[in-house]
Amino acid sequence: MSELYNLTIREAQQALATGELTSVALTEALLKRITALEPQLQVFLTTTGEEALAAAQTADATRTATSGPLHGIPLAIKDVICTAGVRTTCGSAILENFVPPYNATVVERLQAAGTVSLGKVNCDEFAMGSSTENSAFQVTRNPWDTERVPGGSSGGSAAAVAAGMALASLGTDTGGSIRQPAALCGVSGLKPTYGRVSRFGLVAYGSSLDQIGPFAWTAADIALVLQAIAGHDPRDGTSATVPVPDYQAGLTGDLRGLRVGVPREYFVEGMEPGVEQATREAIAVLRDQGAEVIELSLPHTKYALPTYYIVAPAEASANLARYDGVRYGPREAGTSMWQEIELTRGRRFGAEVRRRIMLGTYVLSAGYYDAYYKRAQQVRTLIKRDFEQAFAQVDLLATPTSPTVAFKVGQKLDDPLTMYLSDVCTLPINLAGVPGLVVPCGFSEDLPVGLQLIGRPFEEATLLRAGDAYQQVTAWHTHRPALVS
């Protein structure tokens, strides 16, 4: 058996089922790895070592021949997902000491599946960012090169898996925040269809865009986690009542008859040559495995970036209005209630969050609502129609995930527009509400590149089938960063 922290979920589960490994031993190995690597990577905001070991002991004691595939598997949770009794900060000073009294639905479902939570991982403040540099507490580093970012906003979730600090993790994706860090950290990551996974207990950024999803090394592992967390939740008004299929049963390894579309607009100007080459070579592998590859157009893609940066800040402006220091979180002292609110929000929100709140408030104001927000929603409909028309011709789309590999820490922090362009290939998927899977597909300048697969609504099974088939004939997902603990 390889080092325990390098195991996939499937490998670990097989060893657990045969008694070759215990959940306690696996959890201890990962906690040791976290302790050793945390000073250089800054991944975890809160580590729950004692609770994790207790959960691992329970998992070992209750294991039976019919235990599920996640029973005793240690994982990490992005710090925008509520965990009862465990600090949930959203990477923000305004929630520095907030401890939720309840669990998010996804956390409940993972606990029911017998998983072991190692703690909460870092993220851009309120999930607003593409590099995990906007956290109020620390800057997470990319395990492949600690001078570079892991992507964002779920950079901590991606780095935890890539560094062997967890076998899987949960992140959230509002405009690419699972898929972009998955690509930059060389792991697999899935943004499910909007409504596939409950958002109850997720601290909202953009309510019509946010979706929780898993990170792991392989598409097969992603399928295991998605199986546990997907499904209707009556506590979430946006949760879909669509049945959840058996994702493992769909991993046939067979791509014959699958039609794969390649949209021209996703190979954007300025894309690094190594990224384009790795992506096109990955698409060629899909063709070699029996898929039919068809070039097509999604003409409104070029409007996705400005549309997103009207819709998302508008929703953020509304959602973040509740953070005023009155009901929860720290409060700055002032001579009146209004001054206290002003000081609390001004001092406790970071620069990027303040920027998006101001932009969102502006586009929702009486004089500009029709000119900006209403028009953005109309363009959003056109973008959604592009996908509907594309999926009338093909079963899925294959595109780059990010136009570049991981960039250096601080390189784009003072240039918001350049930072926003990091998500140019991922934003349209959130606006349309469709699912997207990223799998590692190569390296450029010794840094990971990810292939993005986009599917019809609620057809995650098709994406997982394609991603798993690709990984059965390639080895990019077996590469591990050369970290010294």
Side-chain angles (χ1 to χ4, degrees), residues 1 124 137 155 159 213 389 391:
M1 191 187 305
D124 285 303
F137 307 110
Q389 292 168 4
F391 288 130

Side-chain angles (χ1 to χ4, degrees), residues 57 63 142 153 307 473 481:
Q57 290 171 351
R63 177 172 295 282
N142 192 312
S153 64
T307 299
V473 296

Side-chain angles (χ1 to χ4, degrees), residues 332-335 338-348:
E332 298 290 334
T335 57
W338 294 113
Q339 188 185 52
E340 285 185 353
I341 292 174
E342 179 182 353
L343 291 174
T344 298
R345 290 171 65 82
R347 293 174 181 175
R348 293 282 174 169

Side-chain angles (χ1 to χ4, degrees), residues 130 200 447 451:
S130 305
F200 178 79
L447 294 167
L451 171 70

Side-chain angles (χ1 to χ4, degrees), residues 319-456:
N319 281 324
L320 271 63
R322 70 194 69 176
Y323 302 106
D324 50 19
V326 175
R327 285 160 288 189
Y328 34 66
R331 181 188 306 175
E332 298 290 334
T335 57
S336 67
M337 181 189 73
W338 294 113
Q339 188 185 52
E340 285 185 353
I341 292 174
E342 179 182 353
L343 291 174
T344 298
R345 290 171 65 82
R347 293 174 181 175
R348 293 282 174 169
F349 280 139
E352 183 60 30
V353 171
R354 294 198 304 271
R355 181 183 296 120
R356 297 194 193 195
I357 288 173
M358 288 189 290
L359 178 58
T361 303
Y362 177 81
V363 301
L364 289 175
S365 60
Y368 299 98
Y369 180 90
D370 286 345
Y372 291 104
Y373 185 73
K374 182 179 179 180
R375 183 168 295 181
Q377 292 289 17
Q378 291 169 335
V379 175
R380 181 180 187 175
T381 299
L382 296 177
I383 292 169
K384 188 172 185 288
R385 286 177 184 168
D386 279 354
F387 282 102
E388 291 170 351
Q389 292 168 4
F391 288 130
Q393 306 173 54
V394 298
D395 301 303
L396 58 84
L397 303 172
T399 77
T401 307
S402 171
T404 70
V405 293
F407 45 90
K408 290 195 172 182
V409 172
Q411 181 178 333
K412 299 183 180 182
L413 199 56
D414 296 327
D415 188 350
L417 180 57
T418 302
M419 183 74 81
Y420 297 164
L421 288 169
S422 300
D423 297 329
V424 67
C425 296
T426 57
L427 298 173
I429 288 80
N430 298 80
L431 291 169
V434 297
L437 171 70
V438 165
V439 293
C441 70
F443 288 83
S444 176
E445 299 179 3
D446 297 323
L447 294 167
V449 177
L451 171 70
Q452 178 175 229
L453 302 174
I454 307 164
R456 296 188 184 99

Side-chain angles (χ1 to χ4, degrees), residues 3 12 17 38 47 55 69 99 114 121 128 144 191 208 243 275 294 296 311 350 366 369 389 397 432 436 439 459 474:
E3 294 284 359
E38 189 61 26
T47 306
V99 178
V121 288
M128 298 184 195
W144 294 93
K191 184 208 87 72
S208 74
V275 171
I294 303 167
L296 45 72
V311 173
Y369 180 90
Q389 292 168 4
L397 303 172
V439 293
E459 291 194 9
T474 60

